[in-house]
Amino acid sequence: MKVSDWTIATLGSHSALQILKGAKDEGFKTLVICLKGKEKPYQMFKVADRIILIDSYQDLIKIDQQLAKTKTVLIPHASLIAYLGEDKVEQLKMKYFGNKLILRHESDRNLERAWLKKAGIKLPKFFKTPAEIDRPTIVKFHGAQGGRNYFLTSSTKDFAKKIKPFKGQAYYLQEYIIGAPIYAHYFYSPLTKELEIFGFDKRYESNVDAIGRISVQDQLDLKSLQTSYTICGNIPVVIRESFLPLMIDYGQAVVDVSKKIVSPGLFGPFCLEMIIAPDSQIYAFEISARIVAGTNPFVAGSPYTYFNYDEPMSTGRRIAREIKNGLKSDKLNLLI
Ligand code: ATP
């Protein structure tokens, strides 16, 4: 099967530039499906051979049947899942890179927690009810929202006050670990059965990353100041080498357990979102079972991909390489 007969497609957002560039580098044709008004980056950076403009994300459903008849593989990312919704993503007919069944285990915090726990990963405590709050706690709303509206609390009373504007919304109460946030990017190949580390990042968020620039007195004077976690960008990180063995164990354990819970398990890119506490304990508070935007600083490769590849290797390109290897070895059925 000729790679150039195939198209790699994604939704115009999140890590689309990287995915499309990687696909082009591997010899695929590329397609970006883009909401009208959001197409400028894909016109400016010439990584898409074709741009399909849609009026609403739900219109993706309308073109799905048509694309399903072609040699087109859709690469999922967080925006696809957030904008279209997990149910609709599951129903898409077009070829899809990844295991759709894993989506539920990622988005349902209870299933996610059970998965990580089974993998032997250290987790922050979680509280079933606000009455249990007895330490710094982060209040999270359902669905990946880029941290929007999450807030901190440390008592039941304070929680009752702060939750008022979010009446009726489902929330999740998790112990807030004060430490260094580190997001680890992995890739697992079902073809070679090998796990790779692609890099690490930390997030640049508004306003939490700005609060340290204001004196404590100013913070106290600004009585209505609330910490928020709106994601704005990602910053590359190289971690202490002695943390790598545990990072590798965590990644492998997550893959191993996933095979038992949703065969054939998790594959392709994924990310463990972690906090390293001052005592060097490593907690994971979330898993993303797909490419994360934290890989975007590494479009030309990372310090880690440099060890394994003699060419620039982004996560987007690695996805395309996997599909190419699947095509060449007639094992595409293991990937889509
Ligand atoms: P996504 O699903 O896209 O990863 P999100 O909206 O679920 O994003 P999180 O990444 O869970 O957001 O969290 C937002 C911010 O809160 C990040 O800065 C993260 O490091 C921090 N954070 C989340 N959980 C904890 C925790 N238990 N302890 C300390 N910090 C946390």
Side-chain angles (χ1 to χ4, degrees):
M1 280 196 261
K2 253 172 63 198
V3 169
S4 56
D5 288 343
W6 284 76
T7 298
I8 284 189
T10 196
L11 196 67
S13 187
H14 192 266
S15 45
L17 289 170
Q18 184 198 152
I19 292 169
L20 299 168
K21 169 74 172 123
K24 261 188 143 1
D25 288 345
E26 292 299 306
F28 288 93
K29 285 189 281 212
T30 55
L31 162 68
V32 66
I33 302 153
C34 204
L35 199 64
K36 262 184 205 153
K38 303 258 183 195
E39 65 274 25
K40 280 194 182 144
Y42 311 101
Q43 291 166 338
M44 175 183 274
F45 306 108
K46 314 262 181 277
V47 290
D49 296 320
R50 212 173 133 212
I51 303 178
I52 295 183
L53 294 178
I54 50 177
D55 289 315
S56 84
Y57 288 115
Q58 300 306 318
D59 285 352
L60 186 57
I61 313 285
K62 292 185 193 156
I63 55 171
D64 175 46
Q65 293 280 1
Q66 194 57 34
L67 289 172
K69 291 181 200 143
T70 66
K71 290 177 176 169
T72 301
V73 182
L74 179 69
I75 312 299
H77 51 55
S79 301
L80 175 81
I81 294 151
Y83 297 144
L84 204 59
E86 202 177 283
D87 292 338
K88 298 250 170 68
V89 171
E90 277 180 2
Q91 287 159 19
L92 287 177
K93 296 276 181 294
M94 63 187 297
K95 296 166 196 68
Y96 173 99
F97 178 77
N99 180 354
K100 282 184 183 173
L101 299 175
I102 211 91
L103 294 176
R104 284 204 185 275
H105 289 262
E106 178 201 33
S107 64
D108 179 318
R109 295 207 194 267
N110 295 322
L111 291 178
E112 178 188 43
R113 198 174 168 79
W115 175 11
L116 297 178
K117 222 172 160 181
K118 222 169 166 184
I121 289 174
K122 203 171 172 60
L123 302 167
K125 221 172 138 42
F126 104 101
F127 303 107
K128 277 200 193 113
T129 67
E132 292 172 27
I133 298 172
D134 64 352
R135 64 192 76 193
T137 298
I138 182 163
V139 182
K140 300 181 174 186
F141 297 97
H142 283 292
Q145 308 179 340
R148 200 169 319 131
N149 293 334
Y150 288 9
F151 64 84
L152 277 187
T153 185
S154 53
S155 71
T156 310
K157 197 170 155 208
D158 179 65
F159 170 82
K161 199 170 75 197
K162 290 182 179 163
I163 196 69
K164 276 189 185 145
F166 307 105
K167 223 175 149 200
Q169 278 198 50
Y171 57 78
Y172 182 79
L173 305 171
Q174 190 176 60
E175 174 186 10
Y176 186 82
I177 310 289
I178 299 170
I182 301 279
Y183 291 48
H185 320 140
Y186 301 90
F187 190 97
Y188 178 73
S189 165
L191 301 178
T192 63
K193 307 221 170 355
E194 273 179 32
L195 178 77
E196 294 168 68
I197 283 194
F198 262 70
F200 300 90
D201 78 291
K202 65 175 201 161
R203 292 181 167 191
Y204 192 43
E205 293 162 324
S206 183
N207 60 10
V208 69
D209 289 315
I211 289 174
R213 305 176 65 192
I214 309 172
S215 74
V216 172
Q217 194 50 57
D218 287 339
Q219 292 176 31
L220 292 171
D221 290 345
L222 293 166
K223 291 200 173 51
S224 61
L225 181 67
Q226 282 263 359
T227 316
S228 60
Y229 300 86
T230 303
I231 180 84
C232 300
N234 302 84
I235 302 165
V237 173
V238 173
I239 63 157
R240 224 169 95 182
E241 199 152 312
S242 59
F243 288 143
L244 278 177
L246 190 67
M247 296 285 178
I248 294 168
D249 288 348
Y250 272 12
Q252 191 62 54
V254 157
V255 170
D256 293 345
V257 172
S258 75
K259 289 182 182 174
K260 291 179 197 143
I261 54 179
V262 270
S263 175
L266 171 65
F267 64 85
F270 68 98
C271 170
L272 277 174
E273 307 183 1
M274 298 186 255
I275 306 281
I276 305 183
D279 58 3
S280 297
Q281 294 284 340
I282 304 181
Y283 296 80
F285 62 86
E286 197 166 307
I287 182 164
S288 295
R290 48 187 158 69
I291 187 169
V292 287
T295 61
N296 284 338
F298 305 115
V299 285
S302 77
Y304 300 92
T305 61
Y306 184 73
F307 298 129
N308 279 343
Y309 298 92
D310 292 323
E311 58 198 326
M313 186 55 67
S314 68
T315 297
R317 185 169 183 181
R318 184 65 187 82
I319 294 171
R321 175 74 54 95
E322 189 74 358
I323 296 172
K324 186 158 126 180
N325 290 342
L327 281 168
K328 280 194 196 157
S329 57
D330 216 9
K331 287 187 179 150
L332 197 61
N333 61 316
L334 294 182
L335 308 175
I336 57 174

